């Protein structure tokens, strides 16, 4: 599949003789998206025409598409062509390559979790889960490489529509969560589209590289550019779950199927933040002094709101949802340093967060209860006695989310706090440290219940070998990257320089 796609991309025709000038069709940079869409279409055809579809076949198709996307993305690491292709609509740089690889890996873990969950007798998952996940991943990989705000919007809608359907695949509560997600998502998309329109009005272009040139040369309307900045930040704020645009997060995380939440919580945040970094640090770079205070304020609101409300929850999935709000604030704190230091800090934190949260939700999926609240704290009472392995894995992930050494979460917090302090924003770093202490209570509370409470009628899926192996791989990654962060930071240093 990879060889065929690569051959077709190199043999793509161009249109120099056309009456209207057309851009050169260079398909190599979008081969990851083509591979994901091809696998998604294949999965849909299999589901439609197979007499009785097999979840293992769906998993094989999805993993094949993800592997193809990952390999073709790695091939772009040494790209020597133009920094933008397809009419300057897609950027080709190592920044997008790193994001694509992370998204592909998160999607692979999501597929594995879904494969396990669909094997349960009470599961309600269907074969279209895997194609939808692939289409959502294609939208995410496109948004991180988009060099045009119109392409960003289209990719945003591709990933959002797929996630709306995936969220509703778990019964009545999932339907409620999907409806809330859809309504608020449509509202935020309108804000984002207004921002695109204002950006066009300010600079007569929606291309990121053209916008920065117009603003730097002061040939565009400064007032309209500031309005565009506000609308775009609101649109991105919804996707990254930053307060006060986080209201959908706890209900969606609690109601959606756990494999979907594991995928969505990490992948959506990675994709949205990488796109936000490109918009802020490239398109709106001349307005740094204007958008930095906004990012500062969103960071303070997010870390305080997320930490305080996470500590007040009695449901693990809701606690992790508010935790996601706080972590969005930590990443925004790093972005207040509007330079490569802030970009590197945000990239490191995003990758670390993806590993931690996918692992945490993977363990949550394996812990069940006989009550009507499948993720209540009561389900974790005495987990260490019932399943020491799962308790140990969850402990590693929770300690990393809390920022306790020697986990990667500690290094991630250290990098964003350092970036904020280097930019002179030490009060923000102090607020983030205090919020980390508050949030640590929510994580340690679960650990205490696992090791110092008696079991209360809960049951655990101890025979799930594949998800436990996946969790072990993630837990080892958390510790290894915490002890040897240069394994990751060395790659990030090369990828943090945006080409434009």
């Amino acid at each position: 599949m990879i060889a065929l796609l690569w051959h077709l991309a190199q043999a793509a025709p161009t249109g120099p003789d056309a009456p209207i000038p057309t851009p050169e069709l260079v398909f190599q940079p979008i081969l990851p998206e083509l591979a994901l869409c091809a696998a998604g279409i294949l999965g849909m055809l299999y589901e439609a025409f197979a007499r009785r579809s097999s979840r293992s076949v769906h998993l094989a198709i999805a993993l094949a598409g993800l592997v193809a996307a990952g390999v073709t993305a790695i091939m772009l690491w040494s790209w020597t062509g133009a920094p933008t292709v397809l009419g300057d609509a897609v950027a080709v740089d190592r920044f997008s390559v790193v994001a694509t690889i992370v998204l592909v890996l998160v999607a692979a873990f999501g597929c594995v979790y879904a494969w396990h969950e669909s094997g349960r007798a009470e599961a309600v998952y269907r074969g279209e889960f895997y194609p939808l996940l692939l289409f959502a991943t294609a939208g995410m990989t496109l948004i991180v490489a988009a060099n045009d705000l119109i392409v960003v919007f289209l990719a945003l809608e591709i990933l959002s529509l797929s996630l709306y359907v995936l969220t509703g695949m778990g019964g009545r509560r999932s339907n409620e969560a999907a409806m809330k997600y859809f309504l608020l998502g449509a509202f935020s998309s309108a804000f984002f589209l207004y921002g695109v329109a204002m950006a066009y009005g300010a600079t007569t272009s929606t291309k990121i590289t053209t916008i920065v040139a117009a603003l730097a040369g002061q040939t565009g309307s400064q007032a309209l550019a500031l309005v565009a900045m506000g609308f775009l930040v609101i649109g991105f704020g919804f996707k990254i779950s930053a307060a006060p645009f986080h209201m959908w997060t706890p209900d969606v995380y609690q109601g959606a199927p756990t494999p979907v939440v594991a995928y969505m919580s990490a992948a959506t945040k990675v994709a949205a933040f990488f796109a936000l970094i490109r918009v802020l640090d490239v398109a709106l770079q001349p307005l740094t002094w204007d958008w930095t205070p906004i990012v500062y304020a969103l960071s303070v609101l997010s870390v305080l709101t997320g930490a305080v409300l996470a500590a007040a929850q009695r449901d693990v999935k809701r606690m992790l949802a508010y935790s996601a709000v706080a972590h969005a604030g930590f990443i925004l704190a790093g972005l207040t340093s509007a330079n490569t230091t802030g970009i590197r800090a945000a990239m490191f934190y995003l990758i670390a967060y993806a590993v931690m949260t996918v692992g945490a939700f993977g363990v949550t999926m394996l812990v069940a209860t006989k009550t009507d609240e499948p993720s209540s704290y009561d389900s974790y009472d005495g987990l260490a006695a019932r399943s020491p392995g799962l308790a140990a894995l969850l402990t590693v992930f929770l300690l990393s989310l809390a920022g306790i050494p020697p986990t990667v979460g500690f290094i991630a917090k250290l990098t964003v706090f350092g970036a904020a302090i280097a930019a002179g924003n030490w009060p923000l770093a102090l607020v983030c440290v205090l919020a980390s202490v508050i949030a640590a209570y929510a994580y340690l509370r679960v650990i205490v219940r696992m090791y110092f409470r008696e079991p209360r009628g809960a049951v655990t899926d101890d025979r799930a070998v594949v998800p436990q192996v996946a969790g072990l791989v993630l837990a080892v990654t958390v510790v290894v990257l915490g002890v040897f962060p240069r394994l990751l930071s060395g790659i990030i240093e090369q990828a943090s320089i945006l080409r434009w």
Side-chain angles (χ1 to χ4, degrees):
M1 178 185 291
I2 299 173
L4 178 60
L5 289 174
W6 191 263
H7 173 74
L8 291 175
Q10 289 181 326
T14 59
D17 299 326
I20 299 177
T22 57
E24 183 181 2
L25 300 181
V26 181
F27 288 134
Q28 289 94 326
I30 60 170
L31 282 179
E33 289 78 16
L34 294 177
L36 291 169
C37 290
I41 293 172
L42 181 60
M44 292 180 63
L45 293 174
Y46 170 72
E47 178 67 19
F49 293 103
R51 185 179 299 274
R52 184 176 181 181
S53 63
S54 168
R55 63 191 181 97
S56 297
V57 174
H58 272 297
L59 177 65
I61 295 173
L63 292 180
L66 292 170
V67 170
V71 172
T72 52
I74 293 173
M75 291 179 179
L76 297 174
W77 184 264
S78 302
W79 176 263
T80 57
T84 57
V85 297
L86 297 176
D88 296 333
V90 177
V92 191
D93 49 27
R94 293 177 176 179
F95 179 79
S96 59
V97 170
V98 169
T100 299
I101 294 173
V102 173
L103 292 170
V104 165
L105 291 175
V106 171
F109 280 100
C111 288
V112 171
Y113 289 162
W115 176 83
H116 163 75
E117 193 76 352
S118 61
R120 294 182 176 181
E122 69 274 18
V124 295
Y125 302 104
R126 296 177 289 272
E128 56 268 26
F129 174 93
Y130 300 92
L132 286 170
L133 186 141
L134 291 173
F135 292 139
T137 307
M140 293 175 185
T141 58
L142 181 59
I143 197 175
V144 300
N147 188 57
D148 190 309
L149 293 179
I150 296 295
V151 178
V152 173
F153 175 74
L154 292 176
L156 193 66
E157 292 306 297
I158 292 172
L159 70 92
S160 297
L161 291 174
S162 300
L163 289 177
Y164 298 153
V165 180
L166 288 172
T167 301
M169 285 189 171
R172 181 182 59 83
R173 179 174 293 181
S174 295
N175 293 334
E176 295 176 4
M179 183 59 67
K180 176 173 288 190
Y181 193 18
F182 169 72
L183 292 176
L184 294 179
F187 191 64
S188 70
S189 296
F191 275 104
F192 187 89
L193 201 54
Y194 272 120
V196 175
M198 293 298 175
Y200 181 81
T203 63
T204 68
S205 177
T206 58
K207 291 182 172 57
I208 289 176
T209 49
T210 305
I211 291 173
V212 64
L215 295 178
Q218 298 184 348
T219 59
S221 171
Q222 196 84 355
L224 280 180
L226 291 175
V227 175
M229 175 190 68
F231 281 130
L232 292 174
V233 169
I234 291 174
F236 278 117
F238 174 86
K239 288 301 176 185
I240 64 176
S241 301
F245 313 110
H246 68 287
M247 303 307 294
W248 62 275
T249 310
D251 292 333
V252 172
Y253 277 40
Q254 184 182 27
T258 305
V260 175
V261 181
Y263 166 75
M264 177 176 61
S265 61
T268 305
K269 197 174 293 292
V270 169
F273 259 112
F274 270 78
L276 177 63
I277 291 172
R278 194 181 293 277
V279 170
L280 292 181
D281 286 282
V282 178
L284 303 179
Q285 191 273 338
L287 304 179
T288 298
W289 289 101
D290 298 295
W291 60 255
T292 300
I294 298 177
V295 173
Y296 192 115
L298 289 177
S299 176
V300 172
L301 284 174
S302 298
V303 295
L304 292 179
T305 301
V308 172
L309 294 181
Q313 301 304 308
R314 288 191 53 82
D315 183 277
V316 172
K317 291 174 73 173
R318 290 185 70 88
M319 182 271 289
L320 291 174
Y322 283 111
S323 168
V325 177
H327 286 287
F330 294 138
I331 301 170
L332 289 171
L335 290 181
T336 58
S337 177
N339 49 37
T340 55
T341 301
I343 295 175
R344 291 171 186 172
M347 291 175 67
F348 189 97
Y349 203 109
L350 284 167
I351 297 173
Y353 176 78
V355 176
M356 297 182 295
T357 192
V358 171
F361 277 111
V363 177
T364 302
M365 178 187 67
L366 299 177
V367 179
T369 181
K370 296 179 181 178
T371 67
D372 293 331
E373 298 295 334
S375 57
S376 67
Y377 278 16
D378 294 341
S379 304
Y380 296 82
D381 288 348
L383 180 62
R386 293 183 282 116
S387 181
L390 289 180
L393 291 177
L394 186 56
T395 299
V396 172
F397 298 130
L398 292 177
L399 290 178
S400 186
L401 287 168
I404 306 298
T407 62
V408 70
F410 171 75
I411 303 298
K413 282 187 169 61
L414 201 61
T415 56
V416 294
F417 295 165
I421 294 173
N425 299 322
W426 63 266
L428 174 59
L430 180 60
V431 171
C432 290
V433 171
L434 294 177
S436 297
V437 175
I438 298 173
Y441 167 78
Y443 305 125
L444 296 177
R445 184 181 178 188
V446 178
I447 296 175
V448 168
R449 296 184 75 117
M450 289 193 301
Y451 286 94
F452 300 102
R453 290 286 186 92
E454 294 295 328
R456 298 176 60 180
V459 295
T460 306
D461 194 351
D462 292 319
R463 295 175 293 178
V465 177
V466 174
Q468 291 192 60
V469 171
L472 180 61
V473 171
L474 293 170
V476 171
T477 303
V478 164
V479 176
V480 170
L481 291 180
V483 178
F484 305 104
R486 286 293 300 176
L487 295 174
L488 183 58
S489 59
I491 298 174
I492 290 176
E493 287 179 5
Q494 301 179 56
S496 59
I497 301 176
L498 298 174
R499 300 177 63 189
W500 54 279

